[in-house]
Amino acid sequence: MNLALDESTQERLPQILEDILKRTLIGEKSNKLKETDIFLILVVVLLSENGFLLMKNHNTKDSQCLQHIDNTNLSTWKISTGVHEISFVLSGYSDIIIKLVLCALGRTSLINVVISDLNPEVYSVGFLVNHYIVDPEASTIPMMFHNLKHLSDTFKNKIITPVKSTILNYYGFSGASLKGLPEELMFNLLLLLPVSDIINVAKTCKKFFILLNNESFWHKLFLRDFPHKVGTAGSLEWKISYRIVYIAHQESVRRVRNLRSSMMDLRDRYDYTSSYPIMDIIL
């Protein structure tokens, strides 16, 4: 059975990756590839493993323009120095073109992905190439690479999963992440989390940031955490009201803890437990 990229070792790689690299090396006059070119090949293999099909032409939706990964040619993807563009589609949804642009910024490769005519959002992630390509001139191809599982996992989380979810959601199917869920269902799931985790989710991307600033959501969160304080909200926005009540609550908790700690110190310093049994009840 052929390996996946995340199963790679310094002895074995996916056969398709080795084949592309060997063919590309033969085609290069200098017989030497740049790190960015090698990294681009890794990205192409990752796309192929996850059900995406490459296209020969950047702008046509003609299914005849699909390109088999075995026929990849780096030169057709170069727009200008250090910049590559790939067009591809998700298998089974060939009417939606996805564009990936890879820019080399020193040792970092920045990947931007846009789903044409469907979503203005740009999915972006930067990779330190030398974390994965440790020796482009290694004696064997597998020894060129390191930590490809981390690359695969990061690429899936930042690019593959959100892109698939967006496309599936467009066609009415639940996707492979929170992004593919209906808004109301996602709110219900997030309401199971503590507010600190909800804030962290809002930091993950622009879409969640906008979504979790929804007044309706903060109203539900206020009702969940401070139902007895609803009458104090007044005319303020629910998120602002939540913040005010939350800070006051945390301060109250802090004071109680400090008082409890002080009383514990008193008990340790003066053994009042025999003379003042009420102290045991308080503590």
Side-chain angles (χ1 to χ4, degrees):
M1 181 181 291
N2 192 23
L3 271 69
L5 200 69
D6 61 4
E7 300 171 315
S8 300
T9 67
Q10 288 193 310
E11 289 77 36
R12 295 185 64 197
L13 289 176
Q15 190 61 48
I16 190 65
L17 175 58
E18 288 211 49
D19 291 345
I20 293 174
L21 284 169
K22 287 176 182 177
R23 188 180 68 252
T24 306
L25 283 167
I26 292 173
E28 291 289 315
K29 294 180 180 179
S30 63
N31 204 34
K32 179 180 177 182
L33 286 174
K34 296 179 180 178
E35 285 185 348
T36 305
D37 294 331
I38 299 172
F39 187 76
L40 183 64
I41 292 172
L42 289 174
V43 169
V44 169
V45 171
L46 277 169
L47 290 171
S48 177
E49 283 185 352
N50 287 277
F52 292 95
L53 307 173
L54 299 177
M55 303 191 72
K56 298 176 185 176
N57 188 297
H58 291 309
N59 300 307
T60 181
K61 296 181 180 180
D62 186 352
S63 61
Q64 296 299 317
C65 288
L66 295 177
Q67 179 181 9
H68 196 274
I69 187 173
D70 289 340
N71 300 320
T72 51
N73 187 340
L74 288 174
S75 62
T76 63
W77 299 330
K78 291 184 180 180
I79 304 172
S80 58
T81 304
V83 179
H84 299 76
E85 180 179 313
I86 304 173
S87 291
F88 54 98
V89 296
L90 179 60
S91 179
Y93 304 91
S94 58
D95 55 331
I96 296 178
I97 297 177
I98 306 158
K99 292 190 177 182
L100 179 149
V101 176
L102 186 149
C103 306
L105 305 171
R107 288 287 186 178
T108 301
S109 282
L110 177 64
I111 294 177
N112 293 311
V113 175
V114 177
I115 306 174
S116 303
D117 304 323
L118 180 58
N119 191 336
E121 186 173 357
V122 177
Y123 303 98
S124 299
V125 60
F127 292 97
L128 286 171
V129 175
N130 59 356
H131 282 190
Y132 311 107
I133 304 169
V134 292
D135 186 3
E137 300 181 43
S139 57
T140 65
I141 289 179
M143 291 180 67
M144 294 167 59
F145 303 103
H146 175 70
N147 209 13
L148 293 184
K149 176 172 174 49
H150 180 269
L151 170 64
S152 178
D153 290 345
T154 304
F155 191 78
K156 287 176 183 177
N157 290 335
K158 299 291 186 179
I159 301 294
I160 297 294
T161 297
V163 167
K164 277 188 174 181
S165 296
T166 299
I167 294 173
L168 292 174
N169 194 38
Y170 175 76
Y171 283 100
F173 301 107
S174 294
S177 75
L178 287 176
K179 287 188 175 185
L181 296 177
E183 185 175 296
E184 190 64 27
L185 179 56
M186 188 170 71
F187 282 169
N188 290 337
L189 288 174
L190 290 171
L191 285 170
L192 299 174
L193 301 176
V195 69
S196 57
D197 289 344
I198 291 171
I199 291 171
N200 287 333
V201 170
K203 293 177 181 178
T204 58
C205 69
K206 184 178 180 181
K207 178 176 180 178
F208 283 151
F209 177 79
I210 294 172
L211 197 60
L212 294 181
N213 273 281
N214 183 295
E215 274 294 282
S216 174
F217 176 74
W218 283 96
H219 181 209
K220 292 178 180 179
L221 200 59
F222 196 105
L223 290 172
R224 184 196 75 175
D225 293 344
F226 308 111
H228 57 292
K229 293 283 188 178
V230 172
T232 66
S235 60
L236 295 176
E237 293 180 354
W238 285 108
K239 185 177 181 180
I240 295 174
S241 296
Y242 186 99
R243 184 173 184 273
I244 292 171
V245 175
Y246 180 83
I247 291 173
H249 175 72
Q250 292 298 102
E251 180 61 24
S252 176
V253 170
R254 186 187 66 80
R255 287 198 299 267
V256 170
R257 285 175 178 170
N258 288 342
L259 177 60
R260 183 181 179 86
S261 178
S262 297
M263 295 179 72
M264 291 289 287
D265 289 342
L266 280 173
R267 190 183 70 173
D268 292 341
R269 190 176 301 176
Y270 307 104
D271 186 13
Y272 286 167
T273 55
S274 59
S275 303
Y276 299 93
I278 190 65
M279 188 68 73
D280 287 335
I281 297 174
I282 294 174
L283 296 175

